[in-house]
């Protein structure tokens, strides 16, 4: 067999019918003198833990060997076997349909093409280490290509990847996007804006640079030569997906000029940029080298994603977009959100991480009762751990020191970390055992001791609902075609105990027609805990009356206040924790 080092792979990407959401792919493999070659498409995208079956969008697969038609067959859901008969040149053509708007899936129309590489490019089986080139031929009238891939000198819109992991980690935007650059931490950053919007480029250059510099300050180095932000501006947009030297962000095009909208965008930028270190380089051992055919299980997404959610708060604080009070308030809300999730009493942070593949991206009407997001639980675990470390070291150390040490350790060992190694580093930096902490908050479902931890840092926490007897039925509802339907029922609530179901059409409460959200009805909000109400529903076309005994609202509403009379020790802990 020909040595793999002599094998070359090149792609040509073009568009004939972008208005119908298609990209035309040509894959050229040279130097591989085998009887056959299997080419595969990944079934998932790193950073988004769900088998998405990208191969379902492939059409018109054809192959030639030395210029002559070659026999091929599908040998697996995501693999095609091409019988090359030892031909030195194999050309494969196929089309991909792309019409799903998200940061992790490809989308093409008459205005632009967003190519999420795992759902576009195939690779020769067993040869993920091969380099490749990608030539993009923009559709007529399109003039720009934005990607983190390295350009090939002297060749327009042609790029190279050292291996397929890098190619699969490099999304590509093609069209007429608005492009601007800024320099930060010695790195050129390019921002490619699609979809218009009321953003101020000069303001974004300054403020995005602040976040870059705050992230770099934690780790002491910025590992990129260049970095690309691909931003899709929609009427209502959100979400992001991290890549090695780029990210894709979803934003609302007309929200940049409101304080809430702008801060939301800064939080998103901070989150995805922080991933540059956490997960893209400092990663759980299961997340690389990737198996693109199957699930890649880890119990550590509470660190990879949850801590990143936590650190977006620290970056926007240190960059000056919020003050200490705003920081404390945001985290108090995060704590309350987890505490108010019934599933947080059922599923641990480690379990949530492992089950991302079957639960995290497939929520149903009962998800809130059976699980908790590794994003939200991880954010709170990061908060508690950070304060615990600062308290144990009198403000001299923080979670920042753990993250930097783990990043440098991974760089030295050239591999990911285990859960035990992460715990060991926390204990090394803090000088104390975290076995009890792990049992409570990582592998267990212990109630959050937020009073204790915020207290270490001189922050008073008040539950505004404490001592109040607020009547609560425990349902979420939605309006469809003028009718009100129950969309969720909270575990152990009045509705749960007394038999109301998701998909029940709510007709009336105590004879009063229901026209909007149930919880806001005066007949409920004006009642007392213990009162019995009659809820008439239509279930499967039949009307039924349910007697529902109202319980007290179990949810907490936390207000954080920085204590002006905090001790010197508390102030030291707070300063070490916040880093400002």
């Amino acid at each position: 067999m020909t040595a793999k080092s002599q094998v070359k792979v090149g792609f040509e990407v073009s568009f004939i019918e972008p208005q119908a959401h298609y990209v035309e792919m040509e894959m050229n493999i040279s130097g591989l003198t085998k009887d056959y070659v299997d080419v595969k498409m990944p079934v998932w995208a790193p950073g988004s833990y769900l088998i998405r079956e990208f191969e379902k969008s492939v059409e018109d697969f054809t192959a030639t060997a030395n210029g002559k038609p070659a026999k091929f067959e599908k040998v697996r859901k995501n693999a095609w076997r091409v019988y090359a008969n030892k031909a030195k040149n194999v050309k494969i053509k196929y089309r991909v349909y792309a019409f799903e708007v998200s940061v992790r899936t490809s989308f093409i129309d008459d205005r632009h093409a967003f190519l999420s590489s795992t759902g576009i490019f195939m690779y020769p089986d067993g040869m993920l280490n091969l380099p490749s080139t990608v030539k993009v031929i923009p559709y007529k009238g399109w003039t720009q290509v934005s990607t983190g891939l390295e350009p090939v000198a002297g060749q327009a819109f042609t790029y190279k990847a050292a291996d397929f992991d890098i190619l699969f980690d490099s999304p590509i935007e093609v069209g007429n996007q608005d492009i601007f650059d800024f320099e930060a931490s010695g790195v050129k950053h390019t921002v490619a804006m699609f979809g218009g919007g009321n953003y101020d480029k000069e303001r974004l250059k300054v403020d995005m640079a602040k976040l870059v510099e705050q992230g770099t300050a934690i780790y002491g180095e910025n590992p990129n030569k260049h970095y690309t932000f691909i931003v899709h501006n929609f009427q209502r947009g959100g979400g992001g997906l991290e890549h090695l030297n780029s990210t894709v962000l979803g934003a609302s095009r007309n929200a940049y000029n409101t304080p809430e909208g702008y801060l939301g965008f800064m939080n998103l930028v901070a989150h995805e940029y922080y991933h540059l270190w956490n997960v893209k380089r400092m990663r759980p051992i299961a997340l690389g080298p990737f198996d693109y055919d199957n699930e890649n299980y880890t119990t550590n997404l509470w660190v990879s994603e949850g801590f990143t959610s936590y650190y977006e708060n620290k970056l926007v604080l240190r960059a000056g977009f919020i003050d200490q009070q705003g920081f404390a308030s945001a985290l108090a809300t995060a704590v309350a959100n987890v505490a108010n999730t019934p599933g947080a009493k059922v599923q641990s942070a480690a379990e949530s991480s492992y089950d991302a593949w079957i639960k995290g991206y497939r929520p149903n009407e009962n998800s809130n009762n059976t699980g908790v997001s590794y994003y939200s639980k991880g954010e709170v675990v990061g908060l508690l751990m950070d304060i615990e470390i600062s308290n144990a070291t009198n403000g001299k150390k923080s979670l920042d020191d753990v993250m930097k040490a783990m990043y440098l350790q991974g760089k030295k060992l050239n591999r990911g970390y285990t859960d035990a190694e992460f715990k060991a580093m926390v204990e090394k930096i803090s000088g104390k055992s975290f076995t009890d902490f792990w049992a409570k908050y990582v592998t267990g479902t212990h109630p959050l001791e937020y009073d204790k931890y915020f207290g270490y840092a001189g922050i008073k926490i008040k539950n505004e609902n404490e001592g109040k007897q607020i009547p609560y039925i425990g349902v979420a509802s939605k309006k469809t075609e003028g009718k009100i339907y129950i969309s969720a029922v909270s575990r152990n609530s009045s509705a749960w105990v007394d038999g109301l179901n998701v998909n029940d059409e709510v007709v009336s409460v105590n004879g009063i027609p229901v026209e909007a959200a149930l919880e806001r009805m005066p007949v409920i909000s004006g009642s007392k805990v213990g009162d019995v109400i009659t809820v008439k529903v239509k279930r499967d076309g039949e009307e039924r009356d349910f007697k529902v005994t109202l319980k007290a609202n179990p949810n907490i509403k936390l207000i954080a206040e920085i204590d002006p009379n905090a001790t010197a020790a508390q102030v030291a802990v707070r300063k070490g924790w916040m880093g400002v």
Side-chain angles (χ1 to χ4, degrees):
M1 191 181 91
T2 307
K4 288 180 187 176
S5 59
Q6 294 176 262
V7 178
K8 293 184 178 179
V9 180
F11 293 93
E12 192 169 279
V13 181
S14 60
F15 308 90
I16 297 173
E17 297 182 301
Q19 83 290 347
H21 322 299
Y22 281 94
V23 59
E24 316 300 319
M25 299 297 299
E26 182 179 298
M27 179 183 189
N28 291 286
I29 308 172
S30 63
L32 184 64
T33 53
K34 292 178 65 180
D35 289 332
Y36 67 83
V37 59
D38 289 346
V39 291
K40 288 181 167 181
M41 179 169 276
V43 300
W44 69 288
S48 181
Y49 306 99
L50 177 68
I51 299 297
R52 295 187 182 273
E53 313 291 23
F54 294 123
E55 69 281 0
K56 69 181 181 289
S57 298
V58 173
E59 296 177 25
D60 294 346
F61 187 100
T62 61
T64 59
N66 284 346
K68 297 178 180 178
K71 177 189 169 187
F72 64 88
E73 63 178 325
K74 206 165 185 181
V75 293
R76 184 186 150 92
K77 64 179 182 179
N78 66 323
W80 290 257
R81 178 165 293 171
V82 177
Y83 292 92
N85 296 320
K86 295 185 168 59
K88 288 188 177 180
N89 295 291
V90 176
K91 179 179 290 186
I92 294 161
K93 291 186 176 183
Y94 59 96
R95 315 178 79 200
V96 181
Y97 179 75
F99 194 55
E100 183 179 347
V101 174
S102 83
V103 295
R104 54 189 170 258
T105 50
S106 299
F107 180 91
I108 302 166
D109 67 9
D110 61 338
R111 297 177 67 200
H112 78 127
F114 169 63
L115 307 178
S116 183
S117 298
T118 45
I120 298 293
F121 295 98
M122 296 187 185
Y123 67 96
D125 189 26
M127 302 182 205
L128 285 168
N129 61 328
L130 284 179
S132 62
T133 58
V134 177
K135 180 181 181 181
V136 179
I137 303 173
Y139 187 62
K140 60 183 180 184
W142 294 357
T143 61
Q144 306 278 13
V145 176
S146 301
T147 180
L149 288 169
E150 294 293 329
V152 174
Q155 298 182 44
F157 302 140
T158 304
Y159 306 89
K160 58 186 177 181
D163 55 45
F164 275 91
D165 285 324
I166 288 175
L167 177 59
F168 290 147
D169 205 19
S170 303
I172 302 171
E173 174 74 18
V174 191
N176 294 310
Q177 57 270 27
D178 183 19
I179 297 174
F180 60 91
D181 300 322
F182 66 88
E183 195 94 8
S185 297
V187 176
K188 180 186 176 184
H189 293 74
T190 299
V191 182
M193 289 280 195
F194 168 78
N198 58 8
Y199 54 88
D200 179 335
K201 281 190 271 194
E202 297 308 313
R203 184 185 182 193
L204 285 177
K205 288 179 188 178
V206 172
D207 288 349
M208 292 171 78
K210 291 176 183 176
L211 295 172
V212 168
E213 285 157 3
Q214 290 301 331
T216 305
I218 292 171
Y219 290 93
E221 64 179 38
N222 194 306
N224 285 322
K225 290 186 290 184
H226 55 84
Y227 190 94
T228 300
F229 294 91
I230 297 172
V231 186
H232 293 148
N233 293 299
F234 302 110
Q235 184 176 355
R236 283 186 300 279
L241 188 64
E242 69 276 2
H243 297 282
L244 197 66
N245 69 339
S246 64
T247 186
V248 185
L249 309 178
S252 298
R253 68 170 64 96
N254 293 318
Y256 290 95
N257 64 350
T258 67
E260 301 81 11
Y262 194 75
L263 179 59
F265 184 71
M266 288 296 108
N267 269 281
L268 180 59
V269 170
H271 181 108
E272 300 306 334
Y273 200 82
Y274 189 79
H275 271 311
L276 185 160
W277 297 276
N278 187 26
V279 98
K280 294 317 303 182
R281 289 167 177 84
M282 184 201 113
R283 56 177 174 76
I285 198 161
L287 297 184
F290 292 117
D291 177 353
Y292 293 104
D293 286 342
N294 302 290
E295 296 88 346
N296 292 223
Y297 292 103
T298 173
T299 54
N300 290 103
L301 295 180
W302 59 274
V303 175
S304 299
E305 288 293 354
F307 279 23
T308 304
S309 291
Y310 171 60
Y311 265 93
E312 73 183 63
N313 296 287
K314 293 187 88 167
L315 295 191
V316 296
L317 168 69
R318 293 171 182 178
F321 301 122
I322 57 173
D323 59 15
Q324 291 187 33
Q325 178 60 56
F327 178 71
S329 295
L331 291 169
T333 298
V335 169
N337 287 341
V338 171
N340 293 339
T341 301
K345 300 178 179 69
V346 177
Q347 186 185 52
S348 71
E351 288 171 329
S352 177
S353 300
Y354 198 86
D355 284 345
W357 296 94
I358 57 172
K359 292 185 177 182
Y361 290 84
R362 289 174 175 154
N364 64 18
E365 68 283 348
N366 201 39
S367 293
N368 212 44
N369 294 318
T370 61
V372 65
S373 164
Y374 51 80
Y375 283 87
S376 51
K377 183 65 180 286
E379 179 179 13
V380 173
V381 173
L383 161 68
L384 303 186
M385 188 181 289
D386 202 358
I387 298 177
E388 183 77 271
I389 295 167
S390 186
N391 186 62
T393 60
N394 301 313
K396 295 181 176 65
K397 298 286 183 181
S398 73
L399 189 57
D400 294 10
D401 298 286
V402 174
M403 301 302 279
K404 180 179 181 179
M406 290 301 295
Y407 165 74
L408 294 174
Q409 177 177 288
K411 188 177 173 182
K412 181 181 177 183
L413 299 176
N414 193 32
R415 65 165 175 81
Y417 60 84
T418 65
D419 188 71
E421 286 172 334
F422 194 89
K423 177 174 176 285
M425 187 63 78
V426 173
E427 292 176 334
K428 179 182 177 182
I429 298 292
S430 66
K432 66 173 291 184
S433 170
F434 266 74
T435 297
D436 183 57
F437 184 98
W438 238 254
K440 285 180 175 179
Y441 302 124
V442 176
T443 59
T445 57
H446 195 277
L448 303 170
E449 299 167 282
Y450 52 86
D451 276 337
K452 178 177 83 172
Y453 287 98
F454 277 115
Y456 288 157
I459 294 174
K460 294 179 177 179
I461 291 288
K462 178 186 176 186
N463 173 17
E464 285 203 324
N465 288 349
E466 190 171 359
K468 295 179 181 178
Q469 290 286 295
I470 303 169
Y472 172 77
I473 190 169
V475 300
S477 56
K478 62 182 180 182
K479 194 168 190 175
T480 304
E481 295 180 353
K483 297 175 180 178
I484 303 298
Y485 294 90
I486 294 176
S487 55
V489 178
S490 291
R491 185 184 293 272
N492 296 329
S493 66
S494 306
W496 173 286
V497 171
D498 291 322
L500 295 179
N501 285 185
V502 168
N503 296 331
D504 283 348
E505 179 193 338
V506 186
V507 179
S508 65
V509 177
N510 284 357
I512 301 170
V514 176
E515 295 175 348
L518 270 67
E519 297 286 5
R520 299 197 196 99
M521 286 189 70
V523 68
I524 294 175
S525 59
S527 298
K528 299 191 298 294
V529 172
D531 285 355
V532 179
I533 60 174
T534 301
V535 181
K536 183 185 290 293
V537 305
K538 189 177 284 187
R539 184 182 296 176
D540 191 32
E542 296 180 347
E543 286 193 350
R544 294 180 60 183
D545 286 343
F546 287 86
K547 300 292 185 184
V548 179
T549 303
L550 293 175
K551 291 186 170 188
N553 189 341
N555 293 332
I556 61 174
K557 185 178 180 183
L558 298 183
I559 303 295
E561 180 190 348
I562 294 178
D563 187 355
N565 300 313
T567 66
Q570 288 173 315
V571 170
V573 170
R574 187 196 311 153
K575 186 177 180 182
W577 158 47
M578 292 188 181
V580 293

